[in-house]
Amino acid sequence: LAKTTQPISMDSYEGQEVNITCSHNNIATNDYITWYQQFPSQGPRFIIQGYKTKVTNEVASLFIPADRKSSTLSLPRVSLSDTAVYYCLVVSGGATNKLIFGTGTLLAVQP
Amino acid sequence: ETGVTQTPRHLVMGMTNKKSLKCEQHLGHNAMYWYKQSAKKPLELMFVYSLEERVENNSVPSRFSPECPNSSHLFLHLHTLQPEDSALYLCASSQDLLAAIYNEQFFGPGTRLTVL
């Protein structure tokens, strides 16, 4: 499974756009990039998944360059309730649905 | 109820006690998982079940014993635990075991376990 590297923490203010970048240099051809969000004392929640280029849903956008060795989760106009840990994971398509969580990025949104 | 539920939400037990954690999913999923999240550590996958059959056991001590009586229920039986076993225990489910695009895992709220 491809290992991911992301910043330990980030700070932002309400209303700003936040971009969290993740490195996955050893990503394989059939791997998908997946992001989860976790609030304190809760289970993680799926945010978005992509393979290449750009994916957008009602929560976030995911940008993946052509070489797929990194990805950027973009959260538009964050609010205080977006304070959470964000995990970047690589999931192998067609393999056992096994999630390997790293330490994630703690995003702290200030008023 | 919808989604994945876990009971109890909080549990305090002594090292000689025997207790069980319960997980129930109302999503019609075929795969269920137990994770452990200790303070300041990443989530660790403990057990994986597919169609009630255990398919993965990640070197978990025998004082943790999982049980999956049907595809909707998952238990984690605890006995003679140690204080270092104190953690948030999370249950999750997914449609199938094999990963596919958008085969996300749905997590329950977790059980906060404290071993005295």
Side-chain angles (χ1 to χ4, degrees):
Chain A
L1 294 171
K3 181 181 175 182
T4 61
T5 304
Q6 52 185 123
I8 294 174
S9 63
M10 292 182 70
D11 293 319
S12 182
Y13 292 94
E14 282 191 292
Q16 288 187 332
E17 178 184 75
V18 171
N19 296 308
I20 306 174
T21 299
C22 177
S23 297
H24 26 79
N25 291 316
N26 298 321
I27 192 167
T29 303
N30 61 346
D31 287 344
Y32 293 88
I33 298 147
T34 308
W35 286 79
Y36 278 76
Q37 173 193 55
Q38 185 179 23
F39 297 113
S41 296
Q42 293 186 28
R45 180 177 75 107
F46 173 89
I47 299 177
I48 197 166
Q49 184 180 71
Y51 185 80
K52 62 180 179 180
T53 63
K54 177 183 174 183
V55 179
T56 297
N57 61 22
E58 64 277 6
V59 176
S61 293
L62 179 59
F63 299 91
I64 305 168
D67 66 4
R68 303 196 334 117
K69 293 184 183 299
S70 67
S71 59
T72 299
L73 176 72
S74 181
L75 304 172
R77 297 179 297 282
V78 294
S79 63
L80 296 177
S81 62
D82 292 317
T83 294
V85 177
Y86 292 82
Y87 297 97
C88 167
L89 302 98
V90 172
V91 179
S92 297
T96 302
N97 192 18
K98 186 165 138 175
L99 299 182
I100 306 297
F101 286 84
T103 52
T105 297
L106 174 59
L107 172 65
V109 180
Q110 314 282 350
Chain B
E1 286 201 62
T2 58
V4 181
T5 58
Q6 290 187 244
T7 55
R9 293 296 307 276
H10 300 271
L11 177 62
V12 179
M13 60 187 289
M15 290 190 285
T16 58
N17 292 156
K18 289 185 181 181
K19 297 287 184 183
S20 296
L21 309 184
K22 179 182 176 182
C23 174
E24 186 173 0
Q25 58 95 1
H26 310 267
L27 302 167
H29 287 169
N30 294 319
M32 296 187 77
Y33 313 79
W34 278 118
Y35 289 84
K36 174 185 177 182
Q37 187 171 34
S38 304
K40 310 290 185 187
K41 288 185 179 180
L43 280 86
E44 303 170 52
L45 179 64
M46 300 175 72
F47 301 105
V48 180
Y49 276 83
S50 175
L51 297 172
E52 302 137 50
E53 183 179 333
R54 191 191 312 178
V55 295
E56 186 153 339
N57 175 347
N58 277 354
S59 303
V60 179
S62 59
R63 57 185 183 269
F64 295 91
S65 175
E67 179 190 2
C68 188
N70 55 63
S71 59
S72 298
H73 293 86
L74 187 64
F75 294 89
L76 188 62
H77 303 300
L78 317 170
H79 64 97
T80 58
L81 294 192
Q82 306 297 313
E84 59 264 30
D85 296 321
S86 298
L88 181 68
Y89 288 85
L90 291 158
C91 172
S93 72
S94 66
Q95 182 62 54
D96 298 294
L97 180 62
L98 291 181
I101 190 166
Y102 300 122
N103 191 7
E104 63 182 279
Q105 289 190 16
F106 293 79
F107 285 80
T111 295
R112 174 69 63 187
L113 173 67
T114 302
V115 182
L116 301 176

